[in-house]
Amino acid sequence: MSMLTPPGMGGKYRITGDKYPRMRQPRRRGRLVLGLVASVAALGLIGWGTLQLIDVFTGGGKKAAAAGTKTDCGTKASPSAGATAAVLPKPAGITVNVFNATPRSGLAKKTADELKKRGFKIGDVGNAPEEFDKKVKGTGVLLGPASSLNTSLPVLATQLGTAERRTDAARKGTEIDLIIGTGFKALTPEAAAGKALAGLAAPQPTATSKKAC
């Protein structure tokens, strides 16, 4: 082996002239690994971005939530199924005094007879007291004790819906007065009065609150 033979060449090559054979550089595995890692990371980012775009356009596979929370929902009133009928007296349990406050004679008797046919009890019949005589301009006044405001007065009012309702706190008993005014022509037609009376006895729904979103 010549002293000019590079070490490790095993005598395969000899140096002749002034040129050396080009030696292959060893592969650098570190750079290869780093390149692979960078490629994998880039692919991962691309995949993640693609999934985000899919979620944006498809809603992420979830149903859209209603705007606002449950506490923001409005409250609505609805009838309760457990409603009961109002307890009102029947016409047969109501005594009516009929007074005429108009110049027309015989009007109190005629009206009292009609009320009796419709089931009411009739008490006094005649001219109106001085405080009302010729002073009732409307169709009439229904007058009773304070206890009659939501009991017998509404029942009698079905027979003359345009009459004014009044109560007297100092008045005793349960009788009520129908004082006929100058605007009176006739009682409410019997069919219409019967329908109004049935409406009073119908069950009244109780309002309950309900959340509505």
Side-chain angles (χ1 to χ4, degrees):
M1 180 182 301
S2 171
M3 293 183 64
L4 296 178
T5 301
M9 299 297 289
K12 185 175 181 181
Y13 298 98
R14 287 181 180 273
I15 301 301
T16 60
D18 57 355
K19 294 184 179 181
Y20 289 87
R22 181 172 295 178
M23 307 296 291
R24 179 181 294 178
Q25 297 293 330
R27 295 181 180 178
R28 297 184 179 181
R29 295 184 179 180
R31 291 184 180 180
L32 181 60
V33 172
L34 182 60
L36 289 175
V37 171
S39 298
V40 171
L43 290 174
L45 288 174
I46 293 172
W48 181 82
T50 303
L51 289 176
Q52 293 301 310
L53 288 175
I54 293 173
D55 286 345
V56 168
F57 289 104
T58 63
K62 299 179 181 178
K63 293 183 179 179
T69 61
K70 290 185 178 180
T71 56
D72 297 329
C73 298
T75 302
K76 294 183 179 180
S78 59
S80 172
T84 57
V87 179
L88 296 172
K90 294 183 178 180
I94 300 174
T95 300
V96 183
N97 302 316
V98 184
F99 299 118
N100 184 9
T102 76
R104 292 175 285 171
S105 61
L107 198 55
K109 177 68 166 59
K110 180 180 178 180
T111 304
D113 289 345
E114 181 63 26
L115 286 175
K116 186 176 181 179
K117 286 171 55 178
R118 297 185 184 188
F120 291 88
K121 289 183 178 181
I122 302 301
D124 297 334
V125 178
N127 293 326
E130 184 178 355
E131 60 180 308
F132 293 105
D133 192 27
K134 313 297 188 300
K135 298 176 184 177
V136 179
K137 303 299 182 181
T139 57
V141 173
L142 307 182
L143 178 64
S147 60
S148 68
L149 180 62
N150 296 313
T151 55
S152 55
L153 277 184
V155 175
L156 181 58
T158 61
Q159 311 303 309
L160 188 59
T162 56
E164 179 186 354
R165 303 182 201 181
R166 297 184 190 175
T167 59
D168 183 355
R171 183 164 176 166
K172 305 298 181 182
T174 59
E175 294 184 359
I176 56 178
D177 300 341
L178 168 55
I179 305 170
I180 301 172
T182 55
F184 178 86
K185 293 182 179 180
L187 293 173
T188 300
E190 190 171 1
K195 185 176 181 180
L197 190 60
L200 286 178
Q204 301 297 319
T206 302
T208 57
S209 59
K210 181 180 180 181
K211 295 289 184 181
C213 297

